Amino acid sequence: AMLNVRYDRVQNRLIDRLQAGGVDLSGAASFDPLTGRAGITFAPQGDLSFYASFGQGFLPPSTEELANNPAQLGGFDRDLSAALSRGEEVGLRGMAGTQALFDVSLFHLDTEKDFDRYRVASRPLETFYRNVGSSRRFGGEVYVSWTPVRPLALQVAYTYAHFQYTNTTSAYGDISGHWLPNSPEHQLVADAQLTVARDLRLGVTSETRGAWYVDPTNVARVDGYTLLHARVAYRLPGPSGVEITGSVHNIFAKQYIAFSEPDPDTNSHQPAPEREIFVGLRISS
């Protein structure tokens, strides 16, 4: 069994050198919540265990979010508060024989005072932030590792994420039941590694993400994609401990959006690099 109590104090200080209209808006913004976590693990046998946990959390506003003040030029936004969360997770992990490992979990998280972006007509070129309400997130994760024969190792991980707003009003209107931005419902990663010889390893990875929405209106969305990566590692013979590595990310140079932001300027889609090549040298004693 596990019990954890945590106290945080996050303090931001601002010196107002602008002093628009002769008003000094210097000050501080502090966030000091007390959170807790409790969990239990039960292992009826050495190769199988069950676990469950409950926890609380918080996310304070960033410096940028605090410093963009819609009420005045300068100073902190005094209306922003920390986002709060509480959630549970249950799962099991273990071994199937001597060749397979697995980990299966279910999770649930409720949040309050999530952050949102907006604009005001009097200052149209600036972005401001506010606490918009609440959300509910639940889903599951599955991880399996299998070694069918000693030179070959296979891994697969899948995540299902059902992230939706539960409040009814925001800068975007009624968003109850809408999906959270930048949160794909499905994600899948599969990997295979082959040890060709004692000093040579080859690997390939497939990465899949489902579609996701750009902002809480759920009008604009980003298409999902699948990428393929490859890698090789060769350890030079002898006692020197020198290993040369090389990898190619996105072998087929697929064009895709890495992430999106609910930017009021509609500059929301951030493209990722196409093909990337990495070469490395590792020296160990």
Side-chain angles (χ1 to χ4, degrees), residues 58-204:
F58 82 105
L59 179 66
S62 67
T63 304
E64 178 186 3
E65 291 166 340
L66 286 169
N68 289 6
N69 185 7
Q72 295 173 285
L73 290 172
F76 279 147
D77 185 346
R78 298 297 178 183
D79 294 328
L80 277 178
S81 57
L84 306 175
S85 65
R86 58 187 180 277
E88 309 84 30
E89 181 180 12
V90 297
L92 70 157
R93 61 171 63 96
M95 299 181 62
T98 59
Q99 298 174 312
L101 301 172
F102 64 88
D103 192 331
V104 181
S105 63
L106 300 175
F107 62 87
H108 167 264
L109 184 73
D110 282 335
T111 66
E112 299 175 355
K113 302 179 181 180
D114 282 331
F115 299 111
D116 187 23
R117 302 184 182 193
Y118 70 100
R119 293 281 173 92
V120 296
S122 59
R123 296 160 64 182
L125 299 180
E126 298 178 73
T127 299
F128 303 104
Y129 304 86
R130 59 183 166 189
N131 300 100
V132 296
S134 58
S135 65
R136 175 164 297 147
R137 315 176 196 206
F138 65 85
E141 296 180 317
V142 178
Y143 168 76
V144 177
S145 173
W146 181 39
T147 308
V149 292
R150 185 168 296 277
L152 180 63
L154 306 175
Q155 298 181 86
V156 63
Y158 169 72
T159 300
Y160 171 72
H162 191 277
F163 297 173
Q164 291 185 327
Y165 289 103
T166 55
N167 61 300
T168 57
T169 58
S170 80
Y172 298 92
D174 187 345
I175 59 172
S176 179
H178 287 205
W179 294 83
L180 270 67
N182 210 27
S183 302
E185 188 175 6
H186 304 282
Q187 297 185 70
L188 176 67
V189 176
D191 182 86
Q193 179 170 288
L194 178 64
T195 302
V196 179
R198 186 182 66 176
D199 299 322
L200 178 62
R201 301 188 308 276
L202 305 176
V204 61

Side-chain angles (χ1 to χ4, degrees), residues 266-284:
T266 69
N267 183 27
S268 306
H269 299 74
Q270 309 300 325
E274 294 184 355
R275 186 182 295 112
E276 297 179 276
I277 300 174
F278 303 90
V279 177
L281 178 66
R282 178 181 298 171
I283 302 175
S284 58

